[in-house]
């Protein structure tokens, strides 16, 4: 039985907030680059040339990397792109979404995606960068 | 590619195999991977799918590769690499 999509998205957001709690991250702004570094995920800016892809999660054996696009010169956009890829890394079950493509996953911003995995990664990114607790002061 | 089983399904079998290879109980593994024993039980039963983060934590605790836990290689540990070989059969 499939769960309601809205429930899954809420859970993805909660997972991000739970992660911040577990890591003791309580102050804004949240740094997705530091979170990636804490898991030995190498994060690098992607050369400007290829437009359309806003972020990529790469896996090679036990090593992981994230590439983020810079063709949109906006820090918020880039932070969200990295946080979205972290969603694919931290969310349960996303291995079934990423691995069949042989360990390389590309996310395209600006597309309205109906893919539940992509929507979950977006919700995770929102919960990670805009968690309820620190904003609720 | 068409009839391939989802990676999470293979993972649940390999996790159990690797744990038994080490002769650990579920709670032994839970302690080493710093997660609740119930999580290990769910992963092995296939009722919970792992994230890449948990996959890596479990592989580290078991001292096996993530590729082994995903069923991509038969050997649980990394092969010894040939760093560089000179004058071998290539020529």
């Amino acid at each position: 039985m499939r769960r309601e999509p809205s429930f899954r998205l809420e859970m993805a957001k909660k997972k991000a907030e739970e992660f911040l709690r577990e890591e003791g991250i309580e102050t804004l702004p949240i740094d997705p680059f530091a979170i990636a570094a804490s898991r030995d995920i190498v994060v690098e800016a992607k050369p400007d040339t290829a437009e359309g892809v806003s972020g990529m999660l790469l896996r090679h054996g036990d090593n992981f990397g994230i590439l983020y696009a810079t063709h949109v010169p906006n820090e918020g956009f880039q932070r969200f792109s990295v946080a979205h890829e972290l969603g694919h890394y931290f969310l349960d079950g996303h291995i079934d979404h990423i691995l069949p493509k042989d360990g390389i996953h590309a996310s395209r911003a600006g597309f309205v995606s109906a893919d539940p995995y992509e929507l979950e990664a977006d919700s995770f990114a929102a919960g990670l960068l805009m968690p309820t607790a620190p904003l609720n002061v | 590619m068409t009839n391939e089983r989802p990676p999470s399904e293979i993972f649940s079998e390999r996790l159990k195999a690797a744990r038994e290879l080490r002769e650990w109980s579920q709670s032994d593994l839970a302690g080493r991977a710093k997660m609740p024993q119930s999580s290990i039980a769910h992963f092995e039963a296939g009722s919970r799918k792992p994230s890449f983060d948990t996959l890596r934590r479990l592989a580290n605790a078991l001292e096996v590769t993530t590729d082994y836990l995903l069923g991509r290689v038969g050997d649980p540990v990394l092969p010894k690499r040939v760093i560089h070989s000179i004058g071998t059969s290539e020529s």
Side-chain angles (χ1 to χ4, degrees), chain A residues 15 39-41 57 59 61-64 88-96 98-100 102, chain B residues 1 6-9 11 48-57 64-67 70 72 78:
Chain A
K15 173 89 182 175
R39 293 300 190 273
D40 293 322
I41 300 170
L57 177 67
R59 167 185 173 268
D62 294 345
N63 302 310
F64 287 82
H88 288 307
Y89 179 82
F90 282 110
L91 288 169
D92 284 359
H94 280 233
I95 65 169
D96 287 345
I98 310 283
L99 288 172
D102 218 18
Chain B
M1 285 295 282
S8 61
E9 202 178 299
F11 164 81
R48 184 180 160 190
K49 296 176 179 182
S51 66
F52 282 112
D53 195 52
T54 40
L55 173 71
R56 245 173 154 192
R57 262 162 74 181
V64 299
T65 61
T66 50
D67 274 333
L70 294 167
R72 301 198 156 197
L78 281 174

Side-chain angles (χ1 to χ4, degrees), chain A residues 67-98:
Chain A
L67 289 176
Y68 63 96
T70 49
H71 66 275
V72 178
N74 178 295
E75 196 192 331
F77 178 83
Q78 295 171 7
R79 282 161 46 80
F80 192 87
S81 298
V82 173
H84 172 102
E85 301 308 324
L86 286 174
H88 288 307
Y89 179 82
F90 282 110
L91 288 169
D92 284 359
H94 280 233
I95 65 169
D96 287 345
H97 178 60
I98 310 283

